[in-house]
Amino acid sequence: MRQRVFELRNAVLRQFAATLAVSSLLVLIGVGGASAQSGTPAPDQGKAAAQPADAAKDAAQNQRRTDEFAEAAQVINGPAGNPECVWLGRRVVRLMWRDDLDTAFRHLDLYDRFGCPGGHIQAAFRCLTRFGGQIDPKVAETLDSRVHACWINPNAQPQQAAAASPPAAPAAGNSPAPQPAASPSPAASPSPAPSK
C-alpha cells in the first residue's frame, strides 16, 4: 500500500510539473506576441532610423566648415587664412568669450606653434566685443557665426553703432570745415568811471 501511495504521489507531481511547463511556455509565447504587435519599435529599429538623419546632419556641418575655411583662405592673405589657423584662432576667441581662459591659453600655445599671427586673435576678439549685445548666450550658432564673421573681417562694426554715428559731411573744394560753436565769454563787470 505504501508503494501505491508513493507511485500516485509521483504521478501527480509529474502531471503538475508538465502542466506548469506547458502553461509557462504558453505565457511566454503570448507575451512575445503581444510585444511584437505593440507600436513601440525595437531598439535596433530606432537606431537604424536615427543614423541616416545624423549622417545627413554631419555631412551638412562638414560642408559648412569646409566652405568657411575656403572663404577664410580667399579673404585673408597670409597665415591667418590657413585652415589650422582659422580653426584654432576661432576656437581661442570663442573660449575667451566664454571666460575659459585656461583652455584658451592652451589653444593659443598650439596656435603659436603653427606660426599663426597672434595679432589676428586680438583683432577678432576686439571685433567680437563690439558685437557683445547682439550675441544670444542661449543660441550657440549666434556666437559661432559672429566669431567667424569677426575672424574674416576684424574691422566689422555693429549696425546699431554705424546708424547712430552722424554721417560725415562730403568734402567740398573751398567750403571750410564746420567750426564748433563758440562758448559765450563771461560778461564784463562794470568798471567805475574815471573821476575828473
Side-chain angles (χ1 to χ4, degrees):
M1 173 119 148
R2 202 182 241 182
Q3 192 171 1
R4 280 189 175 189
V5 171
F6 284 127
E7 287 176 6
L8 182 62
R9 192 176 88 191
N10 286 340
V12 169
L13 286 176
R14 279 189 216 121
Q15 184 64 31
F16 179 71
T19 305
L20 183 64
V22 169
S23 61
S24 297
L25 183 62
L26 290 175
V27 168
L28 288 175
I29 291 172
V31 169
S35 68
Q37 292 178 358
S38 69
T40 58
D44 293 339
Q45 292 173 351
K47 289 179 185 176
Q51 286 177 351
D54 289 342
K57 188 185 294 184
D58 289 342
Q61 187 176 16
N62 287 339
Q63 182 62 39
R64 182 180 57 87
R65 285 181 183 163
T66 304
D67 293 343
E68 287 176 352
F69 292 148
E71 177 188 9
Q74 290 174 352
V75 174
I76 302 171
N77 294 329
N82 293 344
E84 63 274 10
C85 294
V86 172
W87 188 82
L88 284 167
R90 290 187 322 185
R91 192 166 181 93
V92 168
V93 171
R94 190 178 312 115
L95 288 167
M96 288 169 54
W97 179 260
R98 291 184 179 157
D99 290 333
D100 189 0
L101 297 179
D102 291 335
T103 309
F105 287 144
R106 281 188 251 131
H107 281 80
L108 191 57
D109 290 340
L110 190 59
Y111 180 83
D112 290 338
R113 284 190 184 177
F114 277 105
C116 303
H120 200 82
I121 286 184
Q122 291 171 346
F125 188 73
R126 186 178 302 122
C127 170
L128 188 64
T129 58
R130 286 185 219 128
F131 290 94
Q134 298 176 357
I135 297 173
D136 186 5
K138 295 178 183 174
V139 181
E141 273 304 307
T142 58
L143 176 62
D144 291 342
S145 64
R146 183 55 56 203
V147 167
H148 179 69
C150 283
W151 188 263
I152 296 295
N153 182 12
N155 297 323
Q157 296 290 329
Q159 293 294 333
Q160 295 169 350
S165 65
N174 292 338
S175 64
Q179 298 294 324
S183 62
S185 59
S189 62
S191 58
S195 62
K196 289 189 182 183

